[in-house]
Amino acid sequence: MLNIENLHAHYHTDEGTDVHAVDGVDLEVGSNETLGLVGESGCGKTTLAKALIRLLPTNGEIVDGSVNFKETDLTELSDEELRKQIRWTEISMIPQNAMNSLDPVHTVGAQIVQAIRTHEDCSKEEAWNRTRELFEELGLDENRVKDYPHQFSGGMAQRAAIALALCLEPALILADEPTTALDVVVQDQILTMVSELQDEIDSSMIMITHDMSVVSETCDKIAVMYGGNVAEYADSETIIKNPRHPYTLGMRNAFPDISKDTQELISIPGSPPDLIEPEEGCKFAPRCPFAQDECREVTPEPEEFEEGHVVRCHRADEVEYLQEEASKRETWAEMKDDQGDLISATDGGTDE
Amino acid sequence: MSSHQSKMRVENLKKHFTANQGLLDRLLSRGDREVVKAVDGVNFDIREGESFGLAGESGCGKSTLGKTLLNLHDSTDGSIYFDDADITTQTGREDIAFRTEAQLIQQDPFNSINPRYKVFDWVKEPLDVHSLGTRDERTDLVMETLNEVGLRPAEAYASEYPTELSGGERQRVGIARALVLNPSFLVADEPVSMLDVSVRASVLELLNRLKEERGLTTLFISHDLSLLKHMCDRIAIMYLGQIVEVGPARQLINDPQHPYTEALVSSTPIIDPDVERERIRLEGEVPDPINLPSGCRFAPRCPKVMDECWDEEPRMYDVAEEQEARCILHDEAHADKDVSVGGAQATSD
Amino acid sequence: MSFSDILNRGGSDTPSGVGIGQRIREAFQSTVDLFSGERMGQFGVFLLITFILLAMTAPLLAPYNPDTRHEAEDGSLLRLAEPSGDHLLGTNHEGQDVLSQVLYGTQVSVFVGLFAALIAVFIGTNVGLITAYYGGLVDDILMRLVDIAYGLPFLPFVIVLVFIFGADLFNIVLVIAALLWRDSARVVRAEVLTQKERDYVESAEAIGASDFRILYRHILPNVLPIAFLYIAFAIAYAVIFEASIAFLGYGDPELISWGKMLYQAYTFGAIRFAWWWVIPPGILLMFLVSSVFFIGRTLEKFTNPELRH
Ligand SMILES: Nc1ncnc2c1ncn2[C@@H]1O[C@H](COP(=O)(O)OP(=O)(O)OP(=O)(O)O)[C@@H](O)[C@H]1O
Ligand SMILES: Nc1ncnc2c1ncn2[C@@H]1O[C@H](COP(=O)(O)OP(=O)(O)OP(=O)(O)O)[C@@H](O)[C@H]1O
Ligand SMILES: [Mg+2]
Ligand SMILES: [Mg+2]
């Protein structure tokens, strides 16, 4: 259904440099499939999602690669075609900043009604009724369709943004942290509703989130991004239980678990990779406790292990050793010591 | 009364939003609408050096409560004591002193940074406003704080505009701005919701360190119960403008005594794909802070509702050591009924 | 590096923040970016700059002193001469060179346009900021003033003020500003109303920022684009107003302006046949007004989200 090949998206900056926010991503989303996109903050998830429907800000640009959606390459379409045929009706986005996606001078209901009526031929009354229904389904009080966005709480705005994205029943939903402001009860309810809707209209979804448990419960596949690349890609059970990439392994250590009473969260030391001048070698190497010379010199290519489990790591075949070592605190703590300069900044270093 | 020193104490705090209060509405002169009772009679006492967690339904009034505590909304009723001084009446110098002591991390990092400020200027502004330190000291402090929240290299981020940052990066800019004044009290409204787990762990580590080294007191608002359990000493659960349960973090999550808390705990997703959660589904109408039900506010959706629940609003009952719940099931009249509501949780112990 | 320039700024005790100058520069920069790819806007900017240059170099470009009454070879006044090699645009009823007059007239139009617009938008922006931010009684009082300004009838207002204060150029600028500030006040107010609901304002309150700081350092930079837009529109109106005032005969008697040229042609009854006297000021007036309207339309695309998509 959606096939992304070697996608590169850059931001141009005032200093004349380029931020390589998406740096060679290959991904596939089948129909009626949910792909979870996780990864470090700032690694390019939002950029990737926006690049798919070409909604990058003015200083952003797709420099290479293709995005095939139902046999059309979206990077080739004109803006006009994209707006008329694809955005919203075929692919819609639930943006990360829900509140900002709503226009402050119109009531929330009026915005949804307008969206419905510009793309579909239906009466005003019908559109209002559908809006009320959507509100109801998302657990919002239908009397509040006439409220202005600033009168909504964070979670209510987020649900309104979801309503706006779903109102035209698109074939692909790009959801950028759709539930960050929702309590777990509503989150549960909405994720269930969205997945029901997905089955009903046979649509797919790319869901960006930091909540590993949400990913594990709702997604079929997971792609872990690091520094503009997909570091690891597999079905969700494999990623959760049997990951091979050291970054994924490190991420697992930092997740608080509600069933545990005492738990030490281990963070990955070091700074995120430089996206302006990507260095040779594996992007994670400077922070990786398992990095060897090869890792620092040669950029690893994606390699398929079991069926559908793709990893970008030179040492991914030593899976048992990696998994064992990565779960120990010392493994990540030692990093801080023997890497001198780079890592000492981690502990709030003031050295400049 | 406990022997602990109180940092932030509120008594019967209320914040109601009246219709047509927003100027937009006045401009368009919409018809009258009733009041939204966002915070409706809240009592608690946050102790010095404590992390106090606050969770609850989306729209139940958590952010409003946090902002009212910081005097950013005028409270409708009730009193707020900060270090035993009533802040609702303070003005001038006292207010300025309060503003250096108590800080806010806002929920929405996209709306809460002025788009015309560079990161550096935004984080430095509190120091400018209170004229703290020399110019060099301010610069050093800002850079240090940026480093601490994980925006590294700080020099690169300092010159960015917020529109050039990702969600998580903005969130950390907001955290840096709140921490740069070295406050003694912090309202952290979903401070880490957009951070990946690893960066989140390091920010939490930072907050923990501040708590241990400098005795920082925090009101930690979050939907993530696992996080609250991990971070906080005590947790309060809010429902429709009121606190329905409060207690020590672990005890409250492991053994919730209010049916709503129980539903929350059971709805928390778990990472292990093998475990099927037993969810408690909440039926009934969407709660509406405008037309509150008579009796218990949770009654319309409560799986354990009884006839008495509709009669009057329940008070807080002592249910365990330091733990209180607003549920009539704990009344002596019902001592024979199944009080232990903690049956369906998905926890392992 | 970004903070080095902050370090270099003087006055170590005053809170540094970002200077208002820098804000304006940045707003200006984003305005410049905006014009790339906008043909109409670029054309407008080009025209406006040409007019400003014309105004500045008028004394050099004008072939004659605009007040000189030229005489024909036979010693009589060279009235209403058609364009010729000596007088490219002919002469008027008093034998003055039309080209020189038009060039000098540019000075008046550009001066009045720019100054009246700046004063009007300055007042309007401040009124808009204050009324929207404080609301309540302040809002009511100031907005009543705006209503009154809207109710002012153009002509009687001008006549009365010119009569009281005299018809010098500066007074005319003030009169025009007094008529124009209301538009920007209204629009800026509406914009501030939406800006002040944004969380960043609350964030500024939370750190204890003063009202002044919130208004001028936080909200103002975000409404500057709209203020710029209204400067463009105000220039256009100011130029038209000045021309109208002069055309009606209430202009500064000492000065030549396009409006006054048209007025003279009209009162002399030459407006039908002396095309060389009438068309040049008319066309220039039209070009100047449309140049700022083109600029305004481009700015509007930027500030009005509905036009943007
Ligand atoms: N408009 C922009 N101009 C320049 N750089 C940008 C811009 N937007 C984002 N970036 C940079 O590009 C990188 C990727 O940003 P992106 O928003 O895609 O991250 P993300 O993975 O969505 O992170 P998060 O989880 O924090 O939202 C970041 O380092 C960010 O600083
Ligand atoms: N400025 C306002 N005007 C009118 N109503 C408001 C205003 N701010 C908040 N409310 C209402 O008050 C209630 C509580 O809002 P609040 O933002 O405190 O919720 P919350 O608990 O923080 O929710 P979330 O978890 O979704 O952020 C909501 O019903 C909201 O619509
Ligand atoms: Mg993002
Ligand atoms: Mg909130």
Side-chain angles (χ1 to χ4, degrees):
Chain A
M1 169 123 138
L2 180 76
N3 196 349
I4 306 167
E5 270 169 36
N6 192 30
L7 191 68
H8 290 256
H10 294 181
Y11 291 111
H12 309 293
T13 63
D14 294 344
E15 293 91 49
T17 50
D18 273 7
V19 179
H20 300 227
V22 173
D23 201 22
V25 166
D26 301 288
L27 274 179
E28 248 179 47
V29 187
S31 72
N32 199 8
E33 186 176 276
T34 303
L35 172 74
L37 199 56
V38 300
E40 183 158 68
S41 166
C43 70
K45 303 180 295 296
T46 303
T47 311
L48 174 61
K50 286 186 178 164
L52 295 187
I53 42 170
R54 304 227 314 258
L55 275 181
L56 290 172
T58 43
N59 68 332
E61 192 195 353
I62 298 176
V63 289
D64 197 8
S66 63
V67 179
N68 289 303
F69 173 73
K70 290 186 176 168
E71 266 112 62
T72 31
D73 185 351
L74 298 186
T75 56
E76 311 264 279
L77 288 185
S78 74
D79 281 344
E80 191 63 24
E81 285 168 323
L82 203 67
R83 189 165 46 225
K84 284 235 171 84
Q85 299 159 18
I86 305 287
R87 267 185 221 149
W88 226 340
T89 47
E90 286 286 336
I91 306 183
S92 73
M93 180 149 183
I94 305 172
Q96 191 171 15
N97 48 340
M99 195 60 108
N100 283 13
S101 70
L102 301 169
D103 185 343
V105 296
H106 293 117
T107 64
V108 176
Q111 292 177 49
I112 299 175
V113 166
Q114 211 210 331
I116 297 177
R117 295 197 61 205
T118 34
H119 289 273
E120 269 171 44
D121 186 29
C122 74
S123 76
K124 213 166 189 158
E125 212 166 309
E126 226 174 283
W128 274 108
N129 285 339
R130 259 171 70 186
T131 307
R132 290 213 169 79
E133 259 166 50
L134 260 173
F135 261 54
E136 195 81 62
E137 278 182 74
L138 291 164
L140 289 168
D141 183 354
E142 59 171 288
N143 293 323
R144 301 193 74 165
V145 289
K146 293 266 166 72
D147 271 5
Y148 289 91
H150 79 266
Q151 294 172 311
F152 274 20
S153 78
M156 293 158 81
Q158 205 160 41
R159 276 177 276 173
I162 295 175
L164 208 49
L166 296 185
C167 66
L168 296 173
E169 312 194 332
L172 175 67
I173 303 162
L174 306 173
D176 196 351
E177 308 199 11
T179 59
T180 41
L182 301 178
D183 66 274
V184 283
V185 176
V186 176
Q187 170 176 299
D188 216 51
Q189 193 182 323
I190 285 182
L191 292 177
T192 318
M193 185 205 111
V194 171
S195 77
E196 276 166 17
L197 184 88
Q198 244 181 306
D199 289 340
E200 209 175 287
I201 59 176
D202 212 25
S203 65
S204 323
M205 174 150 92
I206 297 183
M207 180 149 91
I208 302 174
T209 173
H210 291 302
D211 193 332
M212 290 305 287
S213 41
V214 168
V215 181
S216 115
E217 285 198 358
T218 51
C219 298
D220 309 307
K221 301 273 173 59
I222 299 179
V224 181
M225 272 184 86
Y226 187 82
N229 278 151
V230 175
E232 186 163 11
Y233 169 81
D235 57 275
S236 32
E237 191 162 336
T238 311
I239 295 279
I240 302 279
K241 289 174 123 184
N242 198 19
R244 283 168 182 262
H245 197 284
Y247 176 69
T248 320
L249 289 163
M251 215 167 65
R252 274 210 315 191
N253 291 330
F255 194 76
D257 186 341
I258 194 164
S259 60
K260 294 200 182 120
D261 269 354
T262 46
Q263 186 188 6
E264 214 181 359
L265 303 184
I266 311 172
S267 59
I268 302 173
S271 321
D274 186 354
L275 295 176
I276 292 176
E277 289 168 38
E279 287 160 32
E280 261 310 294
C282 172
K283 293 203 167 135
F284 189 54
R287 302 168 73 185
C288 179
F290 311 109
Q292 297 169 330
D293 289 345
E294 184 192 14
C295 303
R296 283 183 271 273
E297 282 150 21
V298 187
T299 312
E301 285 304 313
E303 202 179 327
E304 183 155 356
F305 286 84
E306 301 92 51
E307 175 77 37
H309 186 177
V310 183
V311 190
R312 240 183 222 264
C313 174
H314 289 303
R315 302 188 66 184
D317 45 348
E318 304 166 50
V319 51
E320 272 115 40
Y321 167 73
L322 295 182
Q323 286 181 353
E324 159 111 35
E325 288 297 307
S327 60
K328 298 181 189 151
R329 184 169 194 111
E330 307 87 73
T331 312
W332 302 94
E334 267 166 27
M335 283 285 302
K336 295 191 184 181
D337 299 332
D338 59 43
Q339 290 250 333
D341 287 354
L342 173 83
I343 308 243
S344 67
T346 321
D347 314 294
T350 50
D351 41 343
E352 274 148 39
Chain B
M1 281 281 115
S2 62
S3 59
H4 303 275
Q5 179 85 29
S6 139
K7 184 79 184 172
M8 175 64 85
R9 191 171 89 243
V10 301
E11 282 167 10
N12 192 28
L13 187 68
K14 290 187 182 170
K15 173 65 197 172
H16 297 178
F17 292 105
T18 39
N20 290 354
Q21 191 190 34
L23 277 153
L24 265 178
D25 307 18
R26 268 187 28 191
L27 255 184
L28 303 164
S29 62
R30 298 196 297 153
D32 271 342
R33 206 185 57 183
E34 302 93 307
V35 287
V36 175
K37 298 181 177 167
V39 175
D40 200 26
V42 164
N43 296 287
F44 60 66
D45 181 358
I46 303 177
R47 300 161 192 160
E48 181 99 50
E50 179 180 48
S51 287
F52 189 79
L54 185 62
E57 178 123 49
S58 160
C60 71
K62 302 179 296 296
S63 302
T64 310
L65 175 61
K67 289 174 188 169
T68 314
L69 286 186
L70 295 182
N71 229 352
L72 294 172
H73 288 317
D74 296 326
S75 57
T76 309
D77 192 13
S79 31
I80 307 167
Y81 299 95
F82 180 74
D83 284 337
D84 290 323
D86 189 344
I87 60 157
T88 50
T89 53
Q90 74 191 4
T91 48
R93 192 169 300 164
E94 286 167 334
D95 189 57
I96 289 170
F98 176 66
R99 297 270 172 236
T100 61
E101 286 287 309
Q103 290 298 321
L104 171 69
I105 299 172
Q106 275 171 320
Q107 179 172 12
D108 178 0
F110 284 92
N111 239 328
S112 59
I113 307 178
N114 192 331
R116 309 269 167 192
Y117 274 60
K118 288 188 172 159
V119 167
F120 177 79
D121 298 309
W122 187 244
V123 175
K124 187 162 71 74
E125 198 192 11
L127 300 171
D128 293 339
V129 165
H130 298 287
S131 309
L132 298 174
T134 65
R135 187 152 299 212
D136 288 354
E137 283 166 0
R138 286 180 204 170
T139 306
D140 287 348
L141 193 57
V142 171
M143 298 318 259
E144 192 183 320
T145 316
L146 287 178
N147 247 317
E148 275 185 325
V149 296
L151 293 172
R152 285 181 235 118
E155 291 83 355
Y157 281 104
S159 56
E160 301 262 19
Y161 281 99
T163 48
E164 298 166 343
L165 299 179
S166 80
E169 287 163 345
R170 288 184 201 216
Q171 203 157 37
R172 280 175 279 166
V173 172
I175 298 175
R177 175 165 156 115
L179 293 183
V180 77
L181 279 177
N182 189 14
S184 65
F185 179 68
L186 187 64
V187 173
D189 197 350
E190 301 273 6
V192 292
S193 60
M194 290 185 190
L195 301 182
D196 66 279
V197 286
S198 171
V199 171
R200 176 185 303 191
S202 67
V203 169
L204 297 180
E205 209 173 281
L206 169 69
L207 290 177
N208 258 332
R209 215 178 63 225
L210 294 178
K211 174 181 166 185
E212 254 132 52
E213 288 170 10
R214 306 186 197 157
L216 175 71
T217 310
T218 318
L219 173 67
F220 206 109
I221 303 175
S222 175
H223 288 303
D224 189 340
L225 293 180
S226 338
L227 187 75
L228 291 183
K229 181 177 175 186
H230 177 77
M231 276 298 285
C232 297
D233 304 303
R234 286 191 303 152
I235 297 178
I237 306 291
M238 224 174 143
Y239 189 81
L240 275 189
Q242 285 186 334
I243 287 183
V244 294
E245 183 164 6
V246 57
R250 249 172 266 152
Q251 192 177 317
L252 183 132
I253 301 288
N254 293 345
D255 192 13
Q257 296 295 321
H258 191 284
Y260 179 64
T261 316
E262 198 192 349
L264 272 187
V265 173
S266 80
S267 296
T268 304
I270 30 188
I271 191 163
D272 191 339
D274 294 338
V275 180
E276 258 305 305
R277 289 184 280 131
E278 281 182 54
R279 307 172 193 194
I280 299 174
R281 287 237 168 260
L282 292 183
E283 302 294 331
E285 281 180 24
V286 186
D288 173 3
I290 299 166
N291 302 311
L292 293 170
S294 64
C296 174
R297 296 178 183 200
F298 187 54
R301 302 167 75 198
C302 182
K304 303 198 164 138
V305 63
M306 305 176 296
D307 291 343
E308 297 92 313
C309 295
W310 302 96
D311 296 343
E312 65 178 84
E313 203 155 78
R315 61 176 178 87
M316 290 292 262
Y317 293 91
D318 284 327
V319 291
E321 203 188 336
E322 290 213 9
Q323 191 170 353
E324 292 171 47
R326 193 184 287 282
C327 179
I328 198 171
L329 275 174
H330 298 284
D331 196 280
E332 267 150 35
H334 301 285
D336 53 321
K337 297 222 173 76
D338 176 21
V339 175
S340 141
V341 291
Q345 54 173 320
T347 54
S348 64
D349 39 5
Chain C
M1 204 160 288
S2 75
F3 45 97
S4 59
D5 50 38
I6 290 162
L7 289 176
N8 294 336
R9 245 181 264 147
S12 72
D13 294 346
T14 49
S16 56
V18 179
I20 208 100
Q22 191 185 337
R23 296 288 169 62
I24 293 176
R25 265 202 308 284
E26 277 158 11
F28 186 73
Q29 179 58 42
S30 55
T31 320
V32 169
D33 295 345
L34 185 79
F35 281 97
S36 57
E38 285 287 339
R39 277 284 153 72
M40 232 165 68
Q42 285 170 353
F43 182 59
V45 172
F46 169 76
L47 269 182
L48 184 63
I49 291 176
T50 314
F51 275 114
I52 292 175
L53 287 179
L54 267 186
M56 290 194 308
T57 53
L60 301 175
L61 294 178
Y64 305 101
N65 180 332
D67 294 327
T68 308
R69 295 159 174 234
H70 297 272
E71 287 171 6
E73 269 155 30
D74 58 5
S76 67
L77 211 53
L78 188 65
R79 282 172 198 268
L80 296 174
E82 289 203 17
S84 64
D86 284 343
H87 300 283
L88 286 175
L89 291 177
T91 59
N92 68 5
H93 64 308
E94 296 197 21
Q96 291 154 331
D97 183 52
V98 171
L99 177 60
S100 307
Q101 289 215 325
V102 163
L103 284 172
Y104 273 91
T106 313
Q107 288 187 320
V108 174
S109 288
V110 169
F111 174 85
V112 171
L114 289 180
F115 274 84
L118 282 176
I119 295 175
V121 172
F122 178 81
I123 298 174
T125 304
N126 281 289
V127 170
L129 274 171
I130 290 170
T131 60
Y133 186 71
Y134 288 103
L137 196 62
V138 180
D139 190 28
D140 288 340
I141 294 174
L142 284 172
M143 285 323 279
R144 284 303 80 74
L145 264 180
V146 171
D147 289 344
I148 292 171
Y150 266 103
L152 289 177
F154 172 64
L155 196 53
F157 182 67
V158 172
I159 296 174
V160 169
L161 286 195
V162 168
F163 187 74
I164 299 175
F165 297 109
D168 82 20
L169 188 64
F170 193 66
N171 287 343
I172 289 171
V173 166
L174 288 184
V175 169
I176 293 174
L179 282 166
L180 283 180
W181 66 275
R182 57 192 191 189
D183 294 310
S184 43
R186 258 210 173 156
V187 181
V188 167
R189 174 174 176 275
E191 180 65 18
V192 174
L193 284 181
T194 70
Q195 289 290 335
K196 84 170 191 173
E197 300 294 349
R198 299 216 162 202
D199 287 349
Y200 72 79
V201 174
E202 207 161 57
S203 179
E205 284 167 15
I207 60 158
S210 62
D211 287 356
F212 182 84
R213 189 181 185 97
I214 292 176
L215 270 174
Y216 289 96
R217 293 213 167 165
H218 285 276
I219 298 180
L220 178 62
N222 288 292
V223 300
L224 270 186
I226 287 234
F228 269 120
L229 167 69
Y230 272 78
I231 290 180
F233 287 144
I235 292 175
Y237 281 115
V239 169
I240 294 175
F241 280 5
E242 188 280 331
S244 320
I245 292 172
F247 181 77
L248 294 168
Y250 298 100
D252 188 334
E254 309 280 307
L255 288 173
I256 302 152
S257 80
W258 297 338
K260 186 165 157 199
M261 290 171 73
L262 293 172
Y263 166 68
Q264 287 171 340
Y266 180 73
T267 45
F268 192 74
I271 212 144
R272 294 255 163 86
F273 64 92
W275 54 269
W276 59 89
W277 187 10
V278 177
I279 289 180
I283 284 203
L284 288 188
L285 189 62
M286 197 187 82
F287 272 124
L288 179 55
V289 170
S290 29
S291 79
V292 281
F293 262 112
F294 288 157
I295 297 174
R297 286 298 291 178
T298 308
L299 289 175
E300 200 171 28
K301 271 192 195 137
F302 174 58
T303 45
N304 183 346
E306 290 189 0
L307 289 176
R308 209 181 312 165
H309 299 297

